[in-house]
Amino acid sequence: MPIRSTISLGRVAGIRIAAHWSAGITVGHQLGDTTIGDIMAPAPVAAAGAWTVDELLRSSLVCTRHRVFPVIDADGRPYAVLAWADLLHPRTPARPGLRVADLARPLAPAAIARPQDLVGDIVARIVLRPDLDVVAVVDPSGRLTGLVTATDLALACNRSALGLPIDAATRFAAAGGDSPAPGGMPASAEM
């Protein structure tokens, strides 16, 4: 009878995530070598903390499908997070000239990562609330280079638990193939 155990990987969007192992061999989860850089959205859009709320509402951010944004300083370093929900229920009374920085919530140190950080380590140290929180990915100088949402982390954990590649389309293309079409066949495959 093999020895079985469960290792807690933390919580994602309020869901407990665990890796199961049997006799020292990982079963199901393949997160081990998956990095934040593997799942992040590169070149994310961000709100400048110095913007007024009026400037934010006239910016290109309103034309995106994003619901939460990192807030950056003048050097491009993330220090806070702002969701559309924060504008609906502001912590600070509305006034002319109200700045994004006045409404933004501080970005927790655990929510700042580097591309080479392991996804499993990030999942173990932070809980992201969907539509409210993000992991800001930074370069060595601390400038924003990527973004990971609660959905990104949950998807990586779910795919891992199913034994699927974390980012199938990217990894398939990197191997020289076309993106898989429905049913797992490359889009260019002839039937």
Side-chain angles (χ1 to χ4, degrees):
M1 180 104 169
I3 299 170
R4 298 186 63 80
S5 183
T6 300
I7 301 168
S8 176
L9 293 179
R11 297 178 75 81
V12 174
I15 301 168
R16 185 174 175 275
I17 304 297
H20 300 282
W21 62 272
S22 176
I25 300 171
T26 301
V27 177
H29 280 276
Q30 309 293 320
L31 286 176
D33 64 346
T34 303
T35 66
I36 287 295
D38 293 333
I39 68 167
M40 75 177 192
V45 293
W51 284 351
T52 65
V53 172
D54 287 340
E55 289 171 322
L56 171 72
L57 295 175
R58 287 186 312 228
S59 76
S60 63
L61 297 184
V62 300
C63 299
T64 71
R65 300 177 85 177
H66 302 289
R67 292 169 268 195
V68 60
F69 306 95
V71 177
I72 56 172
D73 64 17
D75 294 321
R77 292 181 176 90
Y79 67 92
V81 64
L82 182 75
W84 291 126
D86 295 323
L87 296 178
L88 296 172
H89 308 290
R91 299 177 302 133
T92 303
R95 65 181 188 283
L98 184 64
R99 301 244 171 243
V100 166
D102 298 329
L103 295 176
R105 293 169 283 115
L107 187 63
I112 298 175
R114 302 223 186 267
Q116 67 272 18
D117 290 345
L118 297 177
V119 171
D121 292 344
I122 301 301
V123 169
R125 75 180 192 212
I126 192 163
V127 175
L128 296 181
R129 298 168 296 169
D131 302 333
L132 290 175
D133 299 316
V134 295
V135 171
V137 185
V138 298
D139 65 15
S141 65
R143 289 187 178 89
L144 185 67
T145 61
L147 194 69
V148 176
T149 66
T151 301
D152 296 329
L153 285 177
L155 180 62
C157 290
N158 289 339
R159 290 185 65 84
S160 172
L162 292 169
L164 298 172
I166 302 304
D167 185 351
T170 300
R171 291 187 185 195
F172 193 81
D178 294 333
S179 294
M185 296 295 293
S188 64
E190 293 185 28
M191 300 280 184

